[in-house]
């Protein structure tokens, strides 16, 4: 029989997968919450400590990618820290107003404009903006894969093993 704790844990883990594709939803933290709810709810007994630690580390990595993936990509493309911070703020505001497309356009436009003003170099500004935009999309894809892996590992550990 499936109890309420298991249903809640699975709901949080599925929510994490959906949240990975939706900006501003903390997918890594939802995964960690689902794991914690289940492990606590069953009295720390049904899932081994090693399994819990591995899945929790994956959830923490997912959270780190979520929070820092775009910034790392912007820096890899040559953008300054100030540009990266400004792009994050503009992207979030535009995402709230216009949705995910606004986030991407806001990131690209802000990085391009600020880097062009800073260096006056068209090629470098374009490279930084493209790196940032691709980095945000790639970090989203990685988050979806990691949260799906966490759910799969959880299902195997709880229902199969």
């Amino acid at each position: 029989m499936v109890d309420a704790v298991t249903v809640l844990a699975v709901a949080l883990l599925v929510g994490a997968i959906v949240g990975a594709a939706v900006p501003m939803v903390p997918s890594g933290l939802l995964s960690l919450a689902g794991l914690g709810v289940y492990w606590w709810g069953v009295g720390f007994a049904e899932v081994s400590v090693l399994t819990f630690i591995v899945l929790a580390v994956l959830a923490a990595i997912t959270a780190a990618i979520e929070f820092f993936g775009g910034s790392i990509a912007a820096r890899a493309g040559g953008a300054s820290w100030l540009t990266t911070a400004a792009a994050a703020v503009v992207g979030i505001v535009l995402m709230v107003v216009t949705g995910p497309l606004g986030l991407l356009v806001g990131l690209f436009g802000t990085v391009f404009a600020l880097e062009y003003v800073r260096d006056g170099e068209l090629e470098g500004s374009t490279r930084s903006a493209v790196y940032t935009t691709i980095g945000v999309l790639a970090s989203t894809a990685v988050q979806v894969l990691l949260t799906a892996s966490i759910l799969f590992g959880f299902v195997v550990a709880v229902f199969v093993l």
Side-chain angles (χ1 to χ4, degrees):
M1 180 173 154
V2 178
D3 61 352
V5 169
T6 305
V7 170
L8 178 59
V10 170
L12 286 167
L13 292 170
V14 169
I17 296 170
V18 173
V22 177
M24 305 299 295
V25 177
S27 59
L29 298 179
L30 280 175
S31 289
L32 195 55
L35 295 170
V37 162
Y38 182 79
W39 207 47
W40 173 78
V42 297
F44 312 105
E46 288 188 28
V47 176
S48 73
V49 173
L50 179 61
T51 301
F52 178 78
I53 289 172
V54 168
L55 294 175
V57 166
L58 284 176
I61 290 169
T62 303
I65 290 169
E66 181 175 11
F67 294 128
F68 303 114
S71 298
I72 291 168
R75 293 292 297 155
S80 70
W81 285 114
L82 181 60
T83 297
T84 302
V89 170
V90 170
I92 289 169
V93 169
L94 286 177
M95 192 264 317
V96 169
V97 174
T98 62
L101 184 60
L103 170 70
L104 294 175
V105 171
L107 286 173
F108 184 91
T110 303
V111 170
F112 178 81
L114 292 179
E115 286 301 300
Y116 188 77
V117 166
R118 185 174 73 118
D119 292 334
E121 188 180 306
L122 184 62
E123 185 178 321
S125 301
T126 303
R127 184 186 69 240
S128 294
V130 168
Y131 268 65
T132 302
T133 305
I134 289 173
V136 167
L137 293 172
S139 73
T140 299
V142 169
Q143 289 173 58
V144 169
L145 291 173
L146 284 172
T147 53
S149 298
I150 292 166
L151 176 61
F152 179 75
F154 175 83
V155 167
V156 168
V158 171
F159 298 109
V160 176
L161 297 179

